[in-house]
Amino acid sequence: MTIRLYNTMTRRVEEFQPRNPPRVNLYTCGPTVYNYAHIGNLRTYVFEDVLVRALKLAGFDVKRVMNVTDVGHLVSDADEGEDKMEKGARREGKTIHEIARHYYDAFVADMHRLNLLPPEQWCWATDEIDAQKAQVEALAEKGFTYVIEDGIYFDTSKFPDYGRLAGQNLADLKAGARIEPAAGKKNPTDFAVWKFSPKGQQRLMEWDNPCGIPGKGFPGWHIECSAMAIKYLGEYLDIHCGGVDHVKVHHSNEIAQAEGALGHAWCRWWMHGEFLTMPKDDGGGKMSKSSGEFLTLEVLIRNLRDMGFTAEKDFNDSDAALSYRYFLLNAHYRQQLTFTWNGLAAAANAYRNLKAAVLNSKRQTDASKMQTLNSFMDAFREAVLDDLNMPRALAVMWSVANEKNNDGKYATLLEMDNVLGLGMKEMKTIPLPWREDEIRQDMKERDKARKARDFARADAIRDKYERENIKLVDQPNGFVSFDSTGGAVLHIYTPRQDEDRPPPGTASVDESKDADIPPC
RNA sequence: GGCGGCGUAGCCAAGUGGACUAAGGCGACGGAUUGCAAAUCCGUUAUUCGUGGGUUCAAAUCCCACCGCCGCCUCCA
């Protein structure tokens, strides 16, 4: 199977081939842990997660490295500016390490809730200062750097290919520049690979300068990614990902540093996730983490709860998070997406309906019928492997969900969910609170009572189940479903008139909700 | 000012020259079903793809102009 992916470097969708198949070396820019990730950040990680899953679907063996930035990035590119980590620490009256740990943990919690596969390797910027200094020294030796008052800078005019990723040359960048270059820089695009600690000021985090320069300092804004990527994935990288905003500066600089230090081409494939933006009447534009005004996953979950997507409606916090994942999957990753509460609610409804369809197919499937439906899987793979066209893939999944014939349906839906990551497999079969024959007896009796128009008796039985948080749902085909008002859905086929119909022994339920369901 | 993207039904969104007489979802409406309730099922919901020209046997898809929206050029996903 081949996978076609858009490459920012060539501006085209191309067939992807790693350098040493089936291995894929993947580096994804991670979070700066000075605050919570916002839902715009999270969009990029969802895109990267889908990429990893799609590469696996195509038969590749992915090794993914993700960094945690816990040092060094300043608030602005100008000479002034605070270190975000130090600012965060001061804001919260904690040590930098505490801050980093707290927001890293929060980030990992978000990843769990969104069903994001963890990277094979995490790396922390402050653990890898030596590698960064080594890269600075390698660049200095090869004559790519110059030293000015506040730091060691990369001379972009020495790297003829600079700006290729952004599709711009030095002259274009100069012409379009809105801000004055920092004092002492030779070119507007030059950037610091190492910054010296300000004179007479003790930074919370600083290290001995590289290149034998006396005094202390800290790594430049971009050096950690290129240094760590090379350390953990070697001199050749297959894919490097990040948000679109990284194209012009961060990734262009990384290329200059890595290729400058290595002396050869470095990463072949560059992929970027588009922005999530806010509607005009709601602040407008993209979300900015540094401005402090942004939406977190936590807020999304809380609001979905407030919108009524809980209790009555077979919905819990985990579903709320995955509804956001569904919301994102419904748009292509290279397309800007505007976040709206109505849009999220629509996604939550759709997600709930899709889950119900999966549960329905599950309860009608016996374990021996777990083959997948090839024609649907083919269409699904075609969509996924065509530059991660998840909206199309989702449409294929829906066509399976709406399929009348149940054979192979459940297995196919689960197979698709390996890529979509919507938590369908987590829905497990658990025992009902009563013995099966007792339930069947109840259902028969209730049915008789209803036929005799003895609704008091019928409702008494319904109440018995309601007390256990299970709602009985009559269906026109003569079956009864169980639906829990506590957030779970139990479905069981119980014959109303035709007693020959075999009732399955168990009900399907989302395991994450079984707190609501008393065990047998 | 420079660069890039987008504009498809009430909403989200795929499709980027010919099987599009335009996927899928949400919502809405109509019907079936129903003791009640809810759910479920069936059906309907763009003769048209921002507007105006042009190219072509053929355009939502290519070209030009115009209108509108967004992003990047500053840390940023």
Side-chain angles (χ1 to χ4, degrees), chain A residues 248-265:
Chain A
K248 276 209 171 64
V249 180
H250 184 54
H251 288 167
S252 291
N253 293 354
E254 276 191 56
I255 291 169
Q257 287 166 345
E259 299 195 351
L262 292 169
H264 60 70

Side-chain angles (χ1 to χ4, degrees), chain A residues 131-189:
Chain A
Q132 296 171 62
K133 282 161 78 167
Q135 190 164 89
V136 171
E137 285 167 351
L139 289 169
E141 260 170 48
K142 295 185 180 181
F144 282 107
T145 62
Y146 59 92
V147 177
I148 57 177
E149 197 182 346
D150 67 337
I152 305 170
Y153 280 76
F154 189 101
D155 185 344
T156 49
S157 66
K158 298 259 173 72
F159 190 76
D161 229 12
Y162 188 84
R164 183 165 148 236
L165 182 68
Q168 285 184 311
N169 57 35
L170 266 179
D172 287 342
L173 288 164
K174 267 179 190 162
R178 265 195 325 198
I179 56 156
E180 290 300 307
K185 272 163 67 165
K186 293 183 180 173
N187 310 287
T189 46

Side-chain angles (χ1 to χ4, degrees), chain A residues 273-305:
Chain A
E274 252 298 348
F275 274 135
L276 180 82
T277 61
M278 294 298 283
K280 209 170 187 182
D281 56 11
D282 202 359
K286 70 167 187 171
M287 238 173 277
S288 169
K289 190 165 169 180
S290 52
S291 76
E293 301 275 336
F294 54 81
L295 280 174
T296 60
L297 189 61
E298 197 62 43
V299 173
L300 249 56
I301 291 170
R302 198 169 63 225
N303 281 23
L304 277 175
R305 214 184 288 145

Side-chain angles (χ1 to χ4, degrees), chain A residues 18-35:
Chain A
R19 189 178 169 88
N20 297 308
R23 166 74 171 266
V24 174
N25 285 329
L26 171 65
Y27 187 91
T28 53
C29 284
T32 302
V33 285
Y34 69 100
N35 207 333

Side-chain angles (χ1 to χ4, degrees), chain A residues 339-355:
Chain A
F339 176 84
T340 62
W341 292 108
N342 282 342
L344 181 66
N349 279 331
Y351 177 59
R352 191 185 51 201
N353 292 163
L354 186 61
K355 274 184 64 167

